[in-house]
Amino acid sequence: MLSLYAPSPRTIVFALLLVLMPATLSHAQSVSEILNKADEKSEEINRVLKALQNSDKNTQYALVEALLKEKDKALLRVGREHALFSTNPVLQNMAIESVFNTNPQVRLVLTEGDSPEALRWVEYVGGVSDGRSGMVMLETGTHNGSCWLQPIFGNCRFTVLGNTVQFANQANGGQAVMRAQASLTLGPDGVLDGLILSSSGRARVSIDLKE
């Protein structure tokens, strides 16, 4: 026997609607706020992009330098990609140094080895290889004023010279297979590309600075 005070299904549905309605309105309001913030950010980025077209090099240098120090990731990316895709070697150098200064790791990709064994170098340093390509994430290390140091060994692992990067990986005597060196040059696609030479052989190596 139903209790005299048992709520009807209609009453239950109505009560649920009353409970859910504030949350729905709050959600709609938060979405509106997000869209407004997105519009504001879009306008800000457009103003920055327009300012970057200034033909005065000193103005460009100052603006890019400021953007590369930005905490705002969107503005940092705008400045970095503008500099990476620029044909101005000064801006390219600023962008490359920014990547090594702010990214704790970079991804090295090996392809076109002179033998499948040449790609196995990445496995010796903690990466993976399938015989056709190889990939490894390496720490950029701390900067000593002239280069980024390889952890533990303290040698210069990454040295930026203009729009090129010199790479050297050291190892203890019994781990000679971990040693390698390479010279990479920035391309128009924002990717450093070059040849890497290790005890395993020779291969192409690249670092996508847009990542």
Side-chain angles (χ1 to χ4, degrees), residues 12 32 135 152:
I12 293 172
S32 176
M135 185 275 289
I152 301 176

Side-chain angles (χ1 to χ4, degrees), residues 8-202:
S8 68
R10 183 178 181 182
T11 302
I12 293 172
V13 171
F14 184 71
L16 286 172
L17 286 173
L18 288 175
V19 171
L20 293 175
M21 190 177 295
T24 303
L25 290 174
S26 174
H27 178 67
Q29 185 178 14
S30 66
V31 169
S32 176
E33 289 174 352
I34 290 172
L35 291 174
N36 287 336
K37 288 180 179 178
D39 287 339
E40 291 174 4
K41 177 59 66 177
S42 178
E43 290 178 8
E44 185 179 17
I45 290 174
N46 284 331
R47 288 198 302 272
V48 170
L49 289 172
K50 185 176 181 179
L52 285 169
Q53 301 309 311
N54 192 307
S55 58
D56 181 70
K57 289 184 179 180
N58 290 333
T59 300
Q60 279 204 31
Y61 295 160
L63 182 53
V64 168
E65 183 179 22
L67 289 170
L68 294 179
K69 294 177 181 177
E70 263 290 335
K71 301 294 184 184
D72 186 313
K73 292 183 178 180
L75 293 178
L76 170 61
R77 191 170 191 85
V78 168
R80 181 176 291 172
E81 292 192 353
H82 173 81
L84 282 175
F85 298 136
S86 170
T87 57
N88 185 315
V90 175
L91 293 178
Q92 291 177 342
N93 175 261
M94 292 169 67
I96 296 171
E97 290 191 346
S98 167
V99 171
F100 286 98
N101 279 330
T102 58
N103 292 15
Q105 295 181 316
V106 290
R107 184 169 68 103
L108 276 69
V109 176
L110 271 65
T111 57
E112 300 177 26
D114 53 15
S115 69
E117 184 67 20
L119 301 175
R120 291 198 62 195
W121 172 79
V122 297
E123 298 178 21
Y124 302 135
V125 291
V128 293
S129 170
D130 61 7
R132 296 184 301 275
S133 64
M135 185 275 289
V136 64
M137 299 293 295
L138 292 181
E139 292 182 51
T140 50
T142 58
H143 192 252
N144 70 352
S146 59
C147 66
W148 287 263
L149 302 175
Q150 181 177 344
I152 301 176
F153 298 100
N155 62 286
C156 286
R157 174 179 266 177
F158 297 103
T159 303
V160 178
L161 301 170
N163 66 349
T164 67
V165 173
Q166 302 299 316
F167 167 75
N169 203 73
Q170 298 300 324
N172 290 326
Q175 300 173 307
V177 290
M178 295 173 62
R179 293 197 181 109
Q181 59 184 20
S183 180
L184 303 92
T185 302
L186 181 66
D189 54 357
V191 177
L192 289 168
D193 182 74
L195 291 174
I196 186 167
L197 180 63
S198 70
S199 60
S200 302
R202 186 190 300 267

